[in-house]
Amino acid sequence: MTEALMTNAAIIAVTMLLLCAIAARIRDVSFIDAVWGGGMALLALTSWLQLDNQGPRATLIAAMAVIWGTRLALHLYSRWRATGEDPRYARMLGKAKEQGRYGRAALTRVFGPQAFLLFLTCLPAQLGVLGSGGAGIGPLAWAGFALWLVGIVFETVGDAQLKAFRADPASKGKVLDSGLWRYTRHPNYFGDCCVWWGIWLAAAEAGPAIALASLIGPVFLTFTLTRWSGKPLLEKGLMKNRPGYADYVARTSGFIPRPPKPPRQ
């Protein structure tokens, strides 16, 4: 298993170096968001390919990660192609671009850290696949699949609703508060967490050691989306720039879906 993980680490390192070279050439790292999902799909697939006998459970875990990662990568890549450079990365690397050291900054501030965090977050899929060779699918793995399915639905439907809302000229300056967005301010983030807790549950069926070693993946992802670079940063900007967003926050759950609160009197 250690050898397979080292192979995966080498693959993701080389992939990130090549992509960093492309980013340095086009002077834009924003496609890294698409690489996040695509990279995890790649790690799950390479883990599965390294098994002599894959078996149903390893195949299920790999499929869950590959389907999730491919969908997310395509969604974020198409968004990047449509909207161009992400303002977050423009601010992060603006001085480096002016000073002619964009490539080095892209590696040390974006692609290098992302490679490490991507590998870490994907441990449930990697260890779950590598520890499940030849094994069947038991109750815990089926429970993980059910939770994964909930997550995929929330992500896919939430992203589609947001895309349609943004494409409607009448929505300019307004807040999306219908569909899944009526019950949670971040259905896509909630879906992400469900997906990776589901993959972790399926991986945990391979034994306590794998469950414990891979727990950091969903824990870190949940912390990132709810407390660090996901929800807090996004909402900080929306509170400043979107009229009515404060009222939306007051009545709508920030993460776990639940019925909205009644309007303030």
Side-chain angles (χ1 to χ4, degrees), residues 103-188:
R104 181 173 31 168
L107 178 62
T108 58
R109 299 182 193 177
V110 179
F111 286 90
Q114 288 280 1
F116 173 73
L117 295 175
L118 187 158
F119 185 88
L120 198 70
T121 307
C122 194
L123 279 175
Q126 296 181 82
L127 294 176
V129 169
L130 294 170
S132 297
I137 303 171
L140 198 58
W142 281 123
F145 173 72
L147 183 57
W148 173 89
L149 194 59
V150 170
I152 282 290
V153 169
F154 263 83
E155 275 196 79
T156 305
V157 174
D159 283 340
Q161 290 173 342
L162 181 59
K163 184 177 181 180
F165 178 80
R166 287 174 169 171
D168 184 357
S171 300
K172 188 174 182 180
K174 295 181 180 178
V175 176
L176 174 57
D177 61 355
S178 60
L180 294 180
W181 301 83
R182 171 178 168 80
Y183 303 100
T184 168
R185 303 197 298 272
H186 303 282
N188 43 2

Side-chain angles (χ1 to χ4, degrees), residues 53-265:
N53 178 20
Q54 281 88 9
R57 189 168 71 219
T59 301
L60 174 67
I61 294 171
M64 288 193 290
V66 169
I67 291 170
W68 169 84
T70 302
R71 188 211 74 84
L72 184 63
L74 292 173
H75 170 71
L76 293 178
Y77 179 78
S78 64
R79 190 177 72 180
W80 169 65
R81 293 291 293 173
T83 60
E85 186 176 17
D86 190 311
R88 296 172 300 163
Y89 297 117
R91 289 192 298 269
M92 182 188 299
L93 300 174
K95 288 186 178 179
K97 185 181 289 188
E98 294 172 3
Q99 296 168 359
R101 50 185 182 87
Y102 191 84
R104 181 173 31 168
L107 178 62
T108 58
R109 299 182 193 177
V110 179
F111 286 90
Q114 288 280 1
F116 173 73
L117 295 175
L118 187 158
F119 185 88
L120 198 70
T121 307
C122 194
L123 279 175
Q126 296 181 82
L127 294 176
V129 169
L130 294 170
S132 297
I137 303 171
L140 198 58
W142 281 123
F145 173 72
L147 183 57
W148 173 89
L149 194 59
V150 170
I152 282 290
V153 169
F154 263 83
E155 275 196 79
T156 305
V157 174
D159 283 340
Q161 290 173 342
L162 181 59
K163 184 177 181 180
F165 178 80
R166 287 174 169 171
D168 184 357
S171 300
K172 188 174 182 180
K174 295 181 180 178
V175 176
L176 174 57
D177 61 355
S178 60
L180 294 180
W181 301 83
R182 171 178 168 80
Y183 303 100
T184 168
R185 303 197 298 272
H186 303 282
N188 43 2
Y189 291 168
F190 174 75
D192 252 356
C193 286
C194 287
V195 162
W196 280 95
W197 280 108
I199 291 173
W200 177 80
L201 271 178
E205 197 167 74
I210 285 179
L212 185 60
S214 62
L215 182 60
I216 190 172
V219 168
F220 173 75
L221 182 69
T222 304
F223 171 76
T224 298
L225 293 178
T226 60
R227 302 293 180 185
W228 187 22
S229 62
K231 176 174 169 281
L233 282 182
L234 179 61
E235 293 198 340
K236 184 179 179 181
L238 289 172
M239 290 288 280
K240 290 180 179 179
N241 304 319
R242 191 65 56 91
Y245 196 77
D247 290 336
Y248 176 64
V249 168
R251 68 177 181 269
T252 309
S253 170
F255 190 65
I256 298 174
R258 58 174 62 99
K261 298 175 183 177
R264 291 188 240 182
Q265 300 298 325

